[in-house]
Amino acid sequence: MTTVASLRPGDDVDAVFACARKDRLQARTGSPYLALELRDRTGSIAGRAFRDADLLSGRFDRGELVRVRGRVERFRDELQLDVRAIERAAEADPAAFLPVAYRDLDELDGFLEHLAREVHDPAYRGLLERLLADEELRAAWRRAPCTRGGHHAYLGGLLEHTVAVGTLALELARLHPRLNSDLLLCAALVHDLGKTREFTYGADIALSEEGRLLGHLVLGQQILDAHAGDLAADRRLALGHCLLSHHGPRERIATPEALALYRLNALDASVKGALEQGLR
């Protein structure tokens, strides 16, 4: 399989990439050309289409998967793909071209189930069991990122973040036994469930329409409501408060468990962001 990382000067290329950039520019001669950024999970490479630029431009859009034919050249000490033909790719899985978690998703799935078993309150435990038994939700939970350009901005990022916050919540509850550990741990496991409906997947991770208009907090509450069953009103209210306030503001947080989730979520997100992108 041809990947960006495997490309070398002189290689003839016939492969599918994600088109992350598409600009129509003019050469010094006044003739148009296309400046492209083509990428897959292994990296990105600049592409230039100097012949039939306008004709080729009509065959695809930025953000789509494209089949490219051309030749790799070295230009100013960097690799560049001289594009001879390009068109929208058919029957390609967008997920194959998006960044993915380094950690094994099966292992993370196992950790999620283990953490759910640490919730002993029958009502909260039953809610988690219904959520985990929803195959469509479970697949989306496993696939979704946490963000598009911040922390855990890759497929599987949501599952990785959920397990991290759940683990932190379990440890904090042991340090502070006055916390309602079942509420805190349940909230930690469901706090970002709305992200399973917040994104779409193409050449890039993009916002879904409901993600753009409602956001993951409202979507998460909708998911909980749909799976709540006979969860008592007081428990539903306490859990909903944790979910809806986990991004703050601090002044609106009304319970110790919600405060704990707010801090733990920020802790994992900020540390992960620093490791991936450096301190800001």
Side-chain angles (χ1 to χ4, degrees):
M1 177 180 176
T2 300
T3 64
V4 169
S6 70
L7 296 178
R8 297 293 182 269
D11 285 352
D12 290 317
V13 174
D14 184 352
V16 175
F17 300 104
C19 178
R21 175 191 166 208
K22 173 189 175 186
D23 294 320
R24 184 184 184 277
L25 304 177
Q26 276 195 335
R28 292 180 180 178
T29 61
S31 58
Y33 72 94
L34 294 181
L36 310 171
E37 180 187 346
L38 305 169
R39 64 170 174 78
D40 58 21
R41 283 182 180 172
T42 70
S44 62
I45 186 171
R48 298 290 184 268
F50 293 101
R51 287 171 289 183
D52 300 320
D54 289 334
L55 177 64
L56 295 178
S57 180
R59 295 177 176 173
F60 70 101
D61 291 313
R62 180 196 173 280
E64 294 183 326
L65 301 180
V66 292
R67 176 164 291 280
V68 181
R69 289 180 290 278
R71 187 176 180 85
V72 180
E73 300 176 345
R74 187 175 294 280
F75 179 72
R76 294 179 179 173
D77 294 326
E78 294 186 357
L79 295 185
Q80 178 175 290
L81 185 57
D82 179 17
V83 176
R84 315 287 173 78
I86 184 170
E87 61 188 0
R88 189 176 293 110
E91 299 181 359
D93 180 8
F97 300 86
L98 294 170
V100 67
Y102 293 108
R103 295 186 61 182
D104 183 84
L105 293 180
D106 290 333
E107 180 183 46
L108 289 169
D109 252 343
F111 275 119
L112 178 64
E113 293 174 354
H114 164 74
L115 289 167
R117 289 193 294 269
E118 292 295 318
V119 175
H120 303 293
D121 178 273
Y124 287 136
R125 179 76 170 265
L127 170 64
L128 290 173
E129 288 174 349
R130 289 190 292 275
L131 291 168
L132 292 174
D134 185 329
E135 293 183 2
E136 183 177 352
L137 174 62
R138 193 74 179 270
W141 202 341
R142 182 184 174 105
R143 187 180 198 185
C146 266
T147 65
R148 292 186 296 156
H151 71 94
H152 300 86
Y154 43 77
L155 302 186
L158 173 60
L159 184 57
E160 185 177 320
H161 174 62
T162 299
V163 167
V165 176
T167 302
L168 291 169
L170 189 62
E171 293 302 317
L172 186 68
R174 289 169 177 162
L175 291 171
H176 297 282
R178 292 173 61 191
L179 287 169
N180 183 333
S181 62
D182 290 324
L183 169 59
L184 175 57
L185 183 52
C186 183
L189 297 182
V190 305
H191 76 282
D192 269 345
L193 268 182
K195 292 180 183 290
T196 60
R197 288 166 47 186
E198 190 175 23
F199 305 107
T200 62
Y201 310 103
D204 295 304
I205 297 169
L207 285 177
S208 66
E209 189 69 1
E210 59 182 350
R212 183 179 69 85
L213 295 177
L214 299 179
H216 76 279
L217 298 182
V218 172
L219 294 174
Q221 186 64 60
Q222 290 179 354
I223 293 170
L224 288 188
D225 289 343
H227 292 79
D230 59 355
L231 188 65
D234 59 338
R235 283 177 166 78
R236 190 182 300 202
L237 185 62
L239 184 61
H241 175 64
C242 289
L243 184 152
L244 293 172
S245 66
H246 79 265
H247 284 303
R250 167 66 183 86
E251 295 75 19
R252 297 184 64 181
I253 295 175
T255 68
E257 292 77 19
L259 175 62
L261 179 59
Y262 167 66
R263 297 296 189 190
L264 296 177
N265 175 69
L267 174 62
D268 184 59
S270 58
V271 170
K272 183 67 171 178
L275 290 172
E276 292 178 339
Q277 301 163 12
L279 295 171
R280 296 180 179 181

